[in-house]
């Protein structure tokens, strides 16, 4: 009898291979060529186009163990994780599939045989549900030996499956298992509780539903099944919780050891350990498949999962980063089944630690404020936290809304979500007005053009010239029959060698020449998938609708863009090779004069990294490798190792660009014929553009040479200015910088002496027995103000120091220090908050020291004078 999870995983594949199924590797958690899905959430996702009839495979039977994630969108189990025995974010789905080959009889036979013979589950503890009208399924289940009393008929909600409102659909049969009377729940399937649980769903895809809702029998019915490995393992091992199976016990043991408590001691502690164990698996596999924490999309889901796990670690008493250490347990446990997890282990640990540290800083700032808000709300006799207050915590400190809600639930409170949503929307409206963003709408004239003239054929991969027929002329938003010299127009032709802007590459430039005129093209775009627009100015004579034009692409700008585009592929490959498989393209701009490449990574590149990338790319350039292009199906492309940009929607046939043994990507852009055509590659800058996203800007060919010449000219100029030879330039620069630093230090000391000895613009008073020293310190920077405040505090022994300085940039710096013996009555942060409002700013800090940066120097004296009254007010409380 098969018991262990690893054995069950292998046994499932082996059994169905023996039944003639092709074992297909798990696809990534990020769906390829399917922008409708945030994550892969079912085994059939990678076969969706096969079921829809949009593509075919070399096999008609398949078996998979598919990595799945449900933590966003329609399938979101995140909030239930930890509270139940069955819910998970990451899980493995076992599935067998038939693409028009076998149908119900074999699917039922295979399912029953695998569970009862291979796994060894007891027949008398299993139930089967069928669609109420599926007489064939009823007969076939009885044929394999299921007792009629164990077959339950259900309606569409439980036993009829459909991919969407229209398209493939059909009845399904679910196999359920009775965990026994010790588990609370109904004694029949689809009831309440966990006693009878579903373990396998067999979908009989036999109909196509049209727009009217009518069902039509498919000519080749298919099979799609799904069974969670976690549930199967628990049932096979005789435990009533997935978390008690060997898929989770090693993790739970490691978490309990790290927390210094034992699993099974308290329900709250157990819940937190279940959350951490589940989320660690999700974190590990998401990062393995290239997702990094960020503030949007898949990265935001990962950030929520990671921060939720970190917070539950705190509830277990773990206040320092720990998830990155425990990710190694997941790698050890899952690495034999998914080798890619092992290769990404170092990246997972580093990226997880970075995010944990960032979140700990957020918690340290936000948790005391949240707890104070909850206490004040409860003291006021309310149980609902103000949406506006929650928004301030969310907006100012980056405290996640879901964690605010969870913390409130644990203390019997709720959040005014409507008020929070209103505050969010108000902020978005302000941002739209500030940024001047307007929603782009489709141009009616362009839509009409697409309907009228049909598709434009692109022939520019192999040539830069063609003879074409002018189908339409668009002048502004009007269709015209002709355009004369000086007119700016957009034109559509039947065929074009001009590449339209797309995939990050800018559109071609060039000219169109007819018998009576010439049109200079400055921009080529594709506003709708079928239509290519050429935008330019008539520089000679006139052009007419229906005439034949000779089209010529500017060869120089095309070749320069091709150099930069091929270079982006080499950069992508070099980054993945050096930094890890998590690196993926987040966007690019490829023009004739430069390239920009955005990619996923969690820290800045070092100067050594940048040098290594440049060296690697230039090595490939010097090899002068052939750049090959092939057209094939997307599945064949991915099977051959081509990188696809997940979320993009691809057609049935895709173009693959290959640099032998170094780079292979799906790409519709134009490229060099050989890497040597790039000439030279030079990185100009490397910066961060968002959390987890870095940007490289670079030059190739003549542009790269110009960069080097500029650097040489700068070196010569510096050498002349410092009156030293170029070989001694670095040493001389270090010496000059050291001298400058010493001079600046002496100047600051002089300013400090002048400020500390000055009685001008300073006032000292005694308020209710407390010494208060207030002084303007114009000319001192923040460090100088802190040094002066320390001197004054030591001189006072007991009291308050408030300093203010107007800066050269027209701003104000404020600093307040309170001696430790007074902070029970006076807090520097409370004082500076009020002072800052006087000069148009905000401030904060510790009880003994706080600072603020404000923007109204004209009110500085008033803000400083206010300190005396504030001290008196606070002391009287």
């Amino acid at each position: 009898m098969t018991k262990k999870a690893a054995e069950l995983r292998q046994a499932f594949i082996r059994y169905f291979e023996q039944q003639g199924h092709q074992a297909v590797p798990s696809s990534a958690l990020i769906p390829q060529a399917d922008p409708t899905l945030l994550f892969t959430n079912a085994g059939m996702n990678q076969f969706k186009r096969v079921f829809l009839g949009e593509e075919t495979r070399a096999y008609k039977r398949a078996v998979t163990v598919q990595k799945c994630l449900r933590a966003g969108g329609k399938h979101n189990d995140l909030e239930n994780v930890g509270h139940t025995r069955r819910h998970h974010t990451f899980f493995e789905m076992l599935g067998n599939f038939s693409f028009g080959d076998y149908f119900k009889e074999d699917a039922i036979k295979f399912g029953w045989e695998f569970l009862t013979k291979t796994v060894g589950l007891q027949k008398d503890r299993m139930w089967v549900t069928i669609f109420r009208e599926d007489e064939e399924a009823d007969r076939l289940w009885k044929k394999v030996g299921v007792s009629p009393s164990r077959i339950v008929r259900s309606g569409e909600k439980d036993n009829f499956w459909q991919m969407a409102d229209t398209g493939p659909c059909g009845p399904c049969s679910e196999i359920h298992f009775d965990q026994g009377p010790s588990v609370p729940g109904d004694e029949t399937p689809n009831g309440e509780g966990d006693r009878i649980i579903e373990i396998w769903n067999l979908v009989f895809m036999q109909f196509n539903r049209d727009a009217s809702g009518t069902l039509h029998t498919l000519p080749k019915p298919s099979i799609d099944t799904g069974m969670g490995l976690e549930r199967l393992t628990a049932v096979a091992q005789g435990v009533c919780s997935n978390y008690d199976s060997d898929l989770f016990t090693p993790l739970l043991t490691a978490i309990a050891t790290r927390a210094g408590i034992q699993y099974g001691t308290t329900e709250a502690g157990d819940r937190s350990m279940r959350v951490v164990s589940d989320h660690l698996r999700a974190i590990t596999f998401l990062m393995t498949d290239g997702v990094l924490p960020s503030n949007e999309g898949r990265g935001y889901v990962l950030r929520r999962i990671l921060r939720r796990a970190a917070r539950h670690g705190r509830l277990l008493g773990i206040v320092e980063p720990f998830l990155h250490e425990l990710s190694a347990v997941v790698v050890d446990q899952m690495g034999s089944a998914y080798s890619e997890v092992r290769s990404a282990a170092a990246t997972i640990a580093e990226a997880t630690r970075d995010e944990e540290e960032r979140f700990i800083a957020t918690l340290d700032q936000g948790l005391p404020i949240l707890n104070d808000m909850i206490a004040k709300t409860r003291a006021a006799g309310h149980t609902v936290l103000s949406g506006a207050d929650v928004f301030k915590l969310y907006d100012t400190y980056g405290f996640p809304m879901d964690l605010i809600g969870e913390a409130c639930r644990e203390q019997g409170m709720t959040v005014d979500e409507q008020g929070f949503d209103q505050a969010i929307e108000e902020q978005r409206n302000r941002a739209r007005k500030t940024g001047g963003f307007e929603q782009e709408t489709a141009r009616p004239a362009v839509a009409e053009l697409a309907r009228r003239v049909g598709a434009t054929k692109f022939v520019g991969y192999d040539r830069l010239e063609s003879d074409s027929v002018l189908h339409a002329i668009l002048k502004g938003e009007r269709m015209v029959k002709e355009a004369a010299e000086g007119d700016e127009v957009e034109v559509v032709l039947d065929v074009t060698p001009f590449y339209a802007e797309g995939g990050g590459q800018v559109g071609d430039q060039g000219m169109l020449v007819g018998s009576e005129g010439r049109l200079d093209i400055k921009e080529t775009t594709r506003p709708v998938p079928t239509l290519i627009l050429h935008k330019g100015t008539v520089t000679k004579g006139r052009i007419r609708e229906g005439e034949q034009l000779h089209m010529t692409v500017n060869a120089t700008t095309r070749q320069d863009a091709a150099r930069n585009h091929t270079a982006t592929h080499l950069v992508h490959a070099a980054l993945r090779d050096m930094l890890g498989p998590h690196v993926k393209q987040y966007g690019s701009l490829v023009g004739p004069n430069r390239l920009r490449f955005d990619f996923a990574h969690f820290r800045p590149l070092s100067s050594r990294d940048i040098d290594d990338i440049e060296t690697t790319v230039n090595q490939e350039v010097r090899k002068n490798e052939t750049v090959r292009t092939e057209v094939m199906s997307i599945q064949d492309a991915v099977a051959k190792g081509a990188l696809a940009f997940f979320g993009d929607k691809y057609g049935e046939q895709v173009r693959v660009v290959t640099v032998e043994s170094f780079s292979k990507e799906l790409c519709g852009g134009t490229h060099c014929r050989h890497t040597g055509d790039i000439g030279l590659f030079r990185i100009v800058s490397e910066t961060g553009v968002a959390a987890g996203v870095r940007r490289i800007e670079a030059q190739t060919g003549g542009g790269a040479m110009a960069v080097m010449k500029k650097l040489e000219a700068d070196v010569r100029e510096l050498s002349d200015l410092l009156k030293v030879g170029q070989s001694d330039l670095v040493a001389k620069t270090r010496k000059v910088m050291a001298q400058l630093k010493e001079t600046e230090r002496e100047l600051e000391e002089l300013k400090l002496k002048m400020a500390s000895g000055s009685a001008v613009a300073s006032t000292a008073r005694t308020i209710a027995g407390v010494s208060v020293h207030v002084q303007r310190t114009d000319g001192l920077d923040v460090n100088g103000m802190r040094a002066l405040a320390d001197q004054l505090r030591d001189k006072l022994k007991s009291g308050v120091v408030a300093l203010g300085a107007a800066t050269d940039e027209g701003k104000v710096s404020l600093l307040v220090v309170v001696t430790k013996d007074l902070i029970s009555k006076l807090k520097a942060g409370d004082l500076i908050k009020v002072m800052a409002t006087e000069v148009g700013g905000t401030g904060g800090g510790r009880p003994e020291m706080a600072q603020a940066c404000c923007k109204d120097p004209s009110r500085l004296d008033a803000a400083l004078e206010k300190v005396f009254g504030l001290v008196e007010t606070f002391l009287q409380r």
Side-chain angles (χ1 to χ4, degrees):
M1 184 182 292
T2 302
K3 293 288 187 181
K4 293 183 178 179
E7 295 171 347
L8 287 168
R9 193 187 290 118
Q10 294 170 357
F12 186 79
I13 295 291
R14 187 168 55 249
Y15 172 84
F16 280 98
E17 281 183 321
Q18 292 169 353
Q19 313 306 322
H21 290 64
Q22 171 70 45
V24 179
S26 171
S27 62
L29 285 175
I30 308 171
Q32 289 189 14
D34 190 352
T36 65
L37 285 176
L38 191 64
F39 297 107
T40 299
N41 57 30
M44 62 81 62
N45 287 166
Q46 66 170 308
F47 303 118
K48 181 177 176 180
R49 292 165 68 120
V50 181
F51 286 125
L52 290 171
E54 296 175 356
E55 68 177 52
T56 58
R57 297 289 178 93
Y59 44 84
K60 292 186 176 180
R61 300 182 177 197
V63 57
T64 64
V65 179
Q66 175 63 52
K67 300 178 292 186
C68 295
L69 193 103
R70 293 183 180 175
K74 178 182 177 182
H75 298 287
N76 188 0
D77 289 341
L78 185 59
E79 302 304 327
N80 290 320
V81 172
H83 292 273
T84 72
R85 303 175 181 185
R86 306 292 173 201
H87 284 97
H88 303 290
T89 49
F90 172 84
F91 61 96
E92 297 173 83
M93 186 171 282
L94 313 175
N96 59 287
F97 308 90
S98 165
F99 310 120
D101 188 19
Y102 64 84
F103 197 48
K104 288 184 187 178
E105 183 166 12
D106 283 338
I108 288 171
K109 182 185 71 173
F110 294 155
W112 190 250
E113 185 174 89
F114 176 75
L115 290 177
T116 58
K117 294 184 179 180
T118 304
V119 181
L121 298 184
Q122 297 170 259
K123 297 178 181 180
D124 60 359
R125 297 184 66 179
M126 287 199 282
W127 291 78
V128 170
T129 61
I130 63 173
F131 183 52
R132 61 184 172 230
E133 301 168 13
D134 196 347
E135 299 297 337
E136 183 183 12
D138 182 72
R139 176 179 59 81
L140 292 171
W141 281 114
K142 290 173 182 175
K143 182 178 178 180
V144 297
V146 179
S147 168
S149 63
R150 289 276 176 168
I151 300 174
V152 176
R153 294 177 183 253
S154 299
E156 290 192 6
K157 178 185 175 184
D158 294 310
N159 283 92
F160 196 91
W161 178 93
Q162 58 188 50
M163 190 180 295
D165 292 337
T166 60
C169 58
C172 62
S173 280
E174 294 175 342
I175 304 174
H176 300 250
F177 187 82
D178 186 350
Q179 298 191 97
S182 62
V183 179
D186 294 343
E187 298 181 15
T188 54
N190 297 330
E192 297 295 325
D194 280 342
R195 173 170 174 172
I196 311 293
I197 62 164
E198 174 205 340
I199 55 175
W200 203 347
N201 186 13
L202 314 180
V203 175
F204 310 130
M205 211 177 295
Q206 67 184 99
F207 301 113
N208 183 65
R209 191 190 298 273
D210 64 22
S212 69
T214 304
L215 297 177
H216 305 276
T217 301
L218 290 170
K220 292 184 177 180
S222 298
I223 292 294
D224 160 27
T225 83
M227 173 167 55
L229 176 63
E230 291 74 15
R231 288 196 182 190
L232 176 64
T233 303
V235 167
Q237 294 177 1
V239 294
C240 298
S241 167
N242 294 357
Y243 293 95
D244 292 334
S245 75
D246 70 338
L247 277 169
F248 287 92
T249 50
L251 255 178
L252 288 168
T253 298
I255 295 164
T257 300
R258 183 65 179 79
I261 58 178
Q262 188 173 351
Y263 184 70
T265 305
T266 67
E267 177 52 35
D270 291 353
R271 180 170 60 248
S272 289
M273 282 191 267
R274 288 194 293 269
V275 169
V276 174
S277 65
D278 171 273
H279 289 7
L280 269 168
R281 285 161 39 104
I283 292 163
T284 301
F285 278 92
L286 280 170
M287 289 188 178
T288 297
D289 283 350
V291 181
L292 291 175
S294 70
N295 287 328
E296 59 186 14
R298 298 180 178 100
Y300 179 65
V301 174
L302 172 57
R303 173 162 283 169
R304 285 186 65 196
I305 291 171
L306 198 153
R307 291 187 168 194
R308 189 169 188 259
R311 180 175 174 275
H312 276 276
R314 284 215 159 193
L315 295 177
L316 292 169
I318 309 173
V319 296
E320 62 279 342
F322 74 104
L323 296 172
H324 66 288
E325 299 171 358
L326 294 178
S327 66
V329 181
V330 182
V331 172
D332 288 344
Q333 187 178 4
M334 306 295 281
S336 58
Y338 302 97
S339 59
E340 65 270 23
V341 172
R342 285 181 174 158
S343 63
T347 296
I348 294 165
E350 188 174 354
T352 301
R353 184 184 180 93
D354 284 353
E355 183 64 19
E356 281 186 277
E357 289 175 344
R358 189 177 290 113
F359 183 52
I360 285 171
T362 297
L363 286 179
D364 287 341
Q365 286 182 299
L367 270 178
I369 298 171
L370 175 60
N371 290 334
D372 186 55
M373 287 165 54
I374 292 173
K376 287 180 178 177
T377 302
R378 181 176 284 119
H382 303 301
T383 59
V384 181
L385 226 55
S386 160
D389 289 344
V390 169
F391 172 74
K392 289 178 184 176
L393 182 61
Y394 167 87
D395 190 47
T396 305
Y397 296 96
F399 209 87
M401 179 58 185
D402 55 316
L403 293 192
I404 295 173
E406 194 165 323
C408 287
R409 283 195 299 274
E410 288 168 359
Q411 299 194 45
M413 308 283 285
T414 58
V415 173
D416 173 18
E417 294 186 8
Q418 185 175 352
F420 175 82
D421 292 340
Q422 182 179 342
I424 283 279
E425 188 57 34
E426 289 173 357
Q427 184 199 51
R428 287 173 181 160
N429 289 335
R430 288 192 298 270
R432 289 190 194 105
K433 291 177 182 177
T434 302
F437 296 114
E438 295 181 3
Q439 187 171 352
E440 186 176 346
T441 56
R443 295 169 58 191
V446 171
E448 173 61 27
L449 263 180
R451 287 192 294 270
R452 174 181 155 186
V453 303
T456 308
K457 182 180 179 182
F458 175 64
V459 295
Y461 287 131
D462 302 317
R463 49 185 161 138
L464 299 179
E465 297 185 37
S466 75
D467 290 321
S468 308
V469 176
L470 180 53
H471 274 336
I473 305 172
L474 189 61
K475 186 176 181 181
E477 294 301 304
R478 292 186 302 112
M479 301 270 197
V480 296
K481 294 295 182 181
E482 65 176 48
E485 187 171 332
D487 287 345
E488 289 191 0
V489 295
E490 295 167 286
V491 299
V492 182
L493 300 103
D494 58 341
V495 298
T496 180
F498 282 68
Y499 179 81
E501 180 179 348
Q505 181 176 331
V506 300
D508 278 333
Q509 300 176 356
M511 63 180 179
L512 282 62
V513 178
S515 60
E516 298 182 46
R518 166 175 163 163
L519 178 67
D520 284 355
I521 301 300
K522 297 300 181 186
E523 184 180 349
T524 308
T525 61
R526 192 188 295 269
V528 294
T530 60
L531 192 70
I532 295 179
L533 280 182
H534 309 75
K535 184 176 183 178
T537 304
V538 180
T539 56
K540 179 182 177 183
R542 65 183 61 248
I543 58 172
R544 289 188 174 93
E545 182 183 301
E547 74 170 308
Q548 184 166 295
L549 300 177
H550 185 73
M551 310 183 69
T552 305
V553 175
N554 184 316
T556 301
T557 55
R558 163 70 78 87
Q559 186 59 29
D560 287 344
R563 286 190 184 97
N564 285 329
H565 205 153
T566 303
T568 62
H569 285 220
L570 300 182
V571 169
H572 195 181
L575 286 166
R576 288 175 63 86
D577 184 56
M578 265 179 242
L579 304 179
H582 67 281
V583 171
K584 66 172 183 173
Q585 180 172 333
Y586 266 24
S588 67
L589 173 64
V590 178
N593 58 343
R594 66 181 176 126
L595 71 87
R596 186 181 73 208
F597 186 79
D598 295 349
F599 60 98
H601 193 51
F602 44 86
R603 59 175 172 78
L605 301 188
S606 67
S607 57
R608 176 65 180 273
D609 291 333
I610 293 171
D611 286 344
D612 287 347
I613 292 163
E614 273 193 352
T615 299
T616 300
V617 172
N618 282 310
Q619 284 174 346
E620 291 301 313
V621 171
R622 290 193 296 274
K623 287 180 183 178
N624 199 27
E625 295 278 10
T626 299
V627 181
R628 293 187 295 104
T629 59
E630 302 172 87
V631 176
M632 62 185 75
S633 73
I634 186 171
Q635 277 70 31
D636 288 343
V638 173
K640 291 182 178 181
L643 291 178
F645 300 118
F646 303 119
D648 286 358
K649 187 169 180 59
Y650 298 102
E652 291 186 31
Q653 297 293 299
V654 294
R655 189 164 177 264
V656 179
V657 177
T658 303
V659 176
E660 198 61 45
S661 72
F662 190 74
S663 169
K664 191 186 294 286
E665 289 189 18
L666 273 61
C667 181
T670 63
H671 287 270
C672 301
R673 295 187 183 277
H674 298 87
T675 58
D677 297 343
I678 294 171
L680 179 67
F681 172 79
R682 192 67 193 263
I683 293 176
V684 177
S685 66
E686 189 274 340
T687 56
V689 294
V693 181
R694 308 297 302 175
R695 170 174 292 172
I696 281 177
E697 298 201 43
Q699 296 273 6
T700 61
M705 184 62 70
V707 170
M708 294 182 67
K709 286 186 175 295
K710 176 66 168 60
L711 288 173
E712 289 174 1
D714 289 345
V715 168
R716 284 196 298 270
E717 186 175 355
L718 283 172
S719 180
D720 292 341
L721 287 170
L722 294 173
K723 294 180 172 51
V724 67
Q726 292 183 18
S727 60
D728 298 323
L729 188 57
V730 173
K732 181 61 180 285
T733 301
R734 285 176 175 157
K735 183 177 179 180
V736 170
M737 291 299 296
Q739 291 172 344
L740 179 60
K741 189 174 182 179
E742 178 63 21
T743 301
E744 289 176 343
R745 184 187 64 78
E746 291 173 354
L747 179 61
E748 287 301 316
E749 287 181 355
L750 180 59
K751 287 180 180 179
L752 182 58
K753 286 179 181 178
M754 292 174 64
S756 61
S758 174
V760 180
S762 67
T763 308
R765 298 179 192 170
T766 300
I767 307 295
V770 173
S771 297
V772 181
H773 182 97
V774 175
Q775 183 173 345
R776 279 193 69 145
T777 58
D778 297 350
L780 284 185
D781 62 10
V782 173
N783 291 330
M785 291 174 70
R786 286 176 180 168
L788 176 59
D790 288 344
Q791 287 184 12
L792 294 170
R793 180 194 59 207
D794 294 343
K795 186 176 179 180
L796 288 176
K797 305 298 183 185
S798 175
V800 176
V801 176
L803 307 179
T807 69
D808 294 337
E809 294 80 23
K811 295 185 178 180
V812 173
S813 293
L814 294 176
L815 181 71
V816 175
V817 171
V818 177
T819 55
K820 289 185 177 180
D821 62 309
L822 297 174
I823 59 175
S824 62
K825 303 175 183 177
L826 294 169
K827 291 181 172 53
D830 293 341
L831 294 171
I832 210 161
K833 281 179 185 176
V834 182
M835 291 172 65
T837 60
E838 188 73 32
V839 281
T842 58
R846 303 187 305 277
E848 64 271 19
M849 188 185 77
Q851 60 188 60
C853 181
C854 311
K855 54 188 178 183
D856 187 2
S858 67
R859 300 291 301 166
L860 176 56
D861 290 335
L864 290 171
E865 182 63 28
K866 203 164 195 171
V867 173
F868 301 111
L870 288 172
V871 170
E872 185 173 13
T873 299
F874 283 125
L875 288 174
Q876 289 175 353
R877 288 184 177 178

